Structure formats: structure tokens, C-alpha cells
Amino acid sequence: MKRKALIVAAVAVVGVAGAYAGGAWWAGRAVEHTLAKQHDWLASLPYFKITDRRYQRGWFSSTETAVLTLNPQLYRFALEREGEALPQFQVRYTQHVQHGPLPLLLSGNPVPYKAVVTTDFEFSPETQKFLAKLFGEQKPIRLENRIGFGDDSKMDVKVPAFDYEETLAGVQVKWQGFDAHLEYDSDFDKVKLDATVPGLTGTVRDKGSFALEGLTFKLDQVRGKSTLMLGTTSANVRSLSLDLAEGHPLKLRMENLGYISRLNEAGDYVDGSADLQLAKLLINDQQYGPATLQTEARHLHAPTLAKLGRELTRLQQEAKSREALTDALLKLARDEGMPLLEHDPMLAVKSLHVRVPDGDIRFAGHVSLKGFKRGDMEQPALFVKKLNADADFSMPRKVVETVASWQARVMFGGADSQIAEADLDYLVNQFVEGQLQRMASQNLIRIDGETLSARASLAAGRFVLNGREVPMPWDASQPAAAADDDAE
């Protein structure tokens, strides 16, 4: 009886082992296809190029190697020099693929996955030498991707913290690390990202210092029927400070900067909004803020936006010169962007409010287009009649004087200047005052004590500025044309 039980147990163990081995073999074949899809997705983006990809599949694990190159079009405008080849920024990486169904069981995690992929990066000797100064024996970046049986993925990216110091140069840098968690489905139609940088500080002896605290970035998007990614994107910075001691000394500190954007789909159209908030900005101990900016775009033709996005990606992936890329972008906007104007779009700055030491700066405005046809671009009078716009702003006149004074100090002031600051301020104030009075006499602005303001509107071809209608150029030609007809 015991012998029979042992035989049954042995058969069961062999069966389980065989089933696991079969599952691992199947998972290995399936995950190779999954990783190929992921590489195709990366290749479809305008940021990277993947070359020299090789995949070696085993029974329980596989290995993949490839070279990731940053698309030169992203930095061509900044680094291109006539007669010099563009630098190439690339890194070779190796992906270690542990097949399912229980790839993390030996690590104490019984959750089933199709595969778990860890990635090692191989940098150039010069880059590796530099990174070793920062991270020591730590890996500069750690990446783990857990792939589910539905090809959904959960990826964790970590960059470790480090302290770096160059005693002779007086340089100190403290990096508190980077953590990101990314989730996406099999077709990359749902994407969630949560990334955090706790802090970064640095000092350079006799030159200055900087500090960044509490940077977070979040993304939660789904693909709409137009193929556009819809949802929210947000970023926040708890504080950012800069202290420059050389040249023109500057102390700057920014607190609680936040950004959030939303994009929604309704039929063939999308509506979007973007809001920016800042709690406080200190410049040389002078406080500015709080500040808020609220913008929106409504009734944008989604198929046109999607097409423009695809064409822009294609252009960014092509090896075009700076002039050729500029011409191609202009041609794209002219040939393919016109339907955006033909579907009654509206853009608006709902509110801009900035608290400054001398008062408040406020602005609001919008512009919309109704009933536009492609041929209207050739008829300015007809085009303007289909525009509807307004703008309203106010600000302390002291702001204009301060900005003008800053510019004058930069241009004419300094240690070598022969002009005293008091004299320079007097000349600037006299110049600004003359210009403001001139603009007010022409009804371009309104002066109410220490406040400057203006309001303009355009509707049905009528332009009104500060309560007075301003004749349009083609209005002046109409009586002359009528007189010519009477003479004939």
C-alpha cells in the first residue's frame, strides 16, 4: 500500500514538473512575441531607435540584447554644427527574461506571471567611469518588468541615491534617487505612470548653489477612438532654489509649483485644459505670487490632431537637415492642419493672475472661429468676420517701470558704468512715463491712477479697443469704392 502511494506521489510530482516545464516553454515562446511588440511600440515613438536586437530563447529563461539610440532629431537644433557630424547617444542593454508561470517563486513571491524581465545597461568606458564616480558599485539604473498572461505589464525603474564631492573644485552634489512605476496593457492603450525625485542639491564654491525638492510626475491615459491618448497629466515641485554669487548676484526660491492637464473626447472632437499654480516666488527676498494660469482648448477636430501627430512623429524619425525639417513642418501645418480651423475651434486663457509687490497682474481672453472655409484665408475681410475674440488685462504701472529698469541696468549699468544708478532710474522713469502717456493719448491703454489696463474685442468684423471702435483697413476703402461707382 505504501509502495502504491509512493508511486502515485512520484507520478504526481513528475506530472507537476512536466506541466511546469511545459508552461515555462510556452511562456518563453509567448513572451518573445510580447517583447517584440514592445520594441515595435518603442520604435514607433520619435525618441529612440533600436538596432542590433538579438534574442536567445531557452527553456526556463531567455536573453535579449539590443542597442538603444537617442533620435538625433531631438537634439539636432541644439548641437548641430556645420561641417561636424552629430554626436550619437546610445547604450547597449541586456534583458534577462525569467519565464513563467511562477518566475518569482524562489524569491518568495507566488504570484503568476508570463515572465519577469530585468535589464542591465552597458555604457561606454568613458560613461561608465563617470557613473562609477557617482554611484560607486551600485547599478546606475535598475529596471524590472513583470508581464502578465494578458500581456499587461508593470514596470519599476529605480536610480539609486548618491553623494558626490570634488574637494579641489569645491563641488558637492547630493542626489536622493529616482523611482518610477509604469503600467500599460497589451496594446499600449492604457498607460499609468507615477514617478518621484525626492531631491537634488548642489553647491560650487564661490559660485553658488541650487536645490530641488519633491518632484513628482503622474500620467493616467487611455486611447480614444481617434487614437489620441486621453486623460490627465500632472507634475509638482515642492521647492526649487537657486543662489548665484558671481556676475549679477541672484537669489531665487520657488515653492509649490503644480501643473495638471486634461484631455477628453466627445464624438469627433476633443476638449483640453491645462492649469498651472505657484504658491510663492522669491527673487532677492522680494516675494511674487501666488500665481495661477488656467487655459483651455475646445472643439478640436480629433482625427486631424491624430493625423498631425502621426506625421510629426514620421518627420522626427527622418534624418532631415534643420532647414528641411522646418520646411516640412510648415508644409504639414498648411496642408494637413487646415481642418482644425474648419471645425469651429476655441482657445482661451480663462484666467491669469499673478500677485506682485505692487499689486496684481490679471489677464483673460479667448479666440474662436465659426464657419471657416479653406478659401477664407485669401479673403482677409471675410476671415476676420468669422473670428470672435476678446482680451482684458490690468497691471500696476510700477511693473513696467521695474522691468524697464532691470533691462537698463543690464545694458548700461554695472561696475564699469559711468552712470549712477539713481540717474539711470530717473532717465528710465521719464522714458516710461512718456511712452505710457503717448499710448494713453492714442487709446491703446487706460491709466487709472497706478493701474494700467486695456480691453479689446473682435466680433462680426468689428474691432473695439477700450470702448472705441477701430476702423478696419478694408472699411476705409469701401466709401472710396462707392464713390468710384457713382462717378462711373
Side-chain angles (χ1 to χ4, degrees), residues 309-371:
R310 290 191 298 270
E311 290 299 308
L312 180 59
T313 297
R314 181 183 62 80
L315 291 175
Q316 290 176 317
Q317 291 173 333
E318 294 179 356
K320 291 182 177 292
S321 67
R322 181 184 307 183
E323 293 76 13
L325 180 60
T326 301
D327 292 341
L329 291 175
L330 293 174
K331 185 176 185 301
L332 173 63
R334 181 179 63 253
D335 296 345
E336 306 296 342
M338 202 64 70
L340 285 177
L341 304 180
E342 295 174 336
H343 288 85
D344 303 340
M346 189 277 287
L347 306 175
V349 175
K350 295 174 64 178
S351 174
L352 169 64
H353 175 213
V354 182
R355 176 70 51 82
V356 295
D358 301 296
D360 296 281
I361 299 174
R362 298 181 183 275
F363 175 83
H366 88 277
V367 58
S368 62
L369 198 55
K370 187 75 172 179

Side-chain angles (χ1 to χ4, degrees), residues 426-437:
Y426 176 78
L427 292 175
V428 169
N429 290 338
Q430 291 298 309
F431 173 77
V432 170
E433 181 63 24
Q435 292 298 312
L436 292 179
Q437 292 300 329

Side-chain angles (χ1 to χ4, degrees), residues 198-218:
L200 171 65
T201 61
T203 60
V204 181
R205 186 174 56 232
D206 301 328
K207 295 184 182 296
S209 63
F210 69 89
L212 169 70
E213 296 180 359
L215 170 62
T216 61
F217 180 82
K218 294 184 178 182

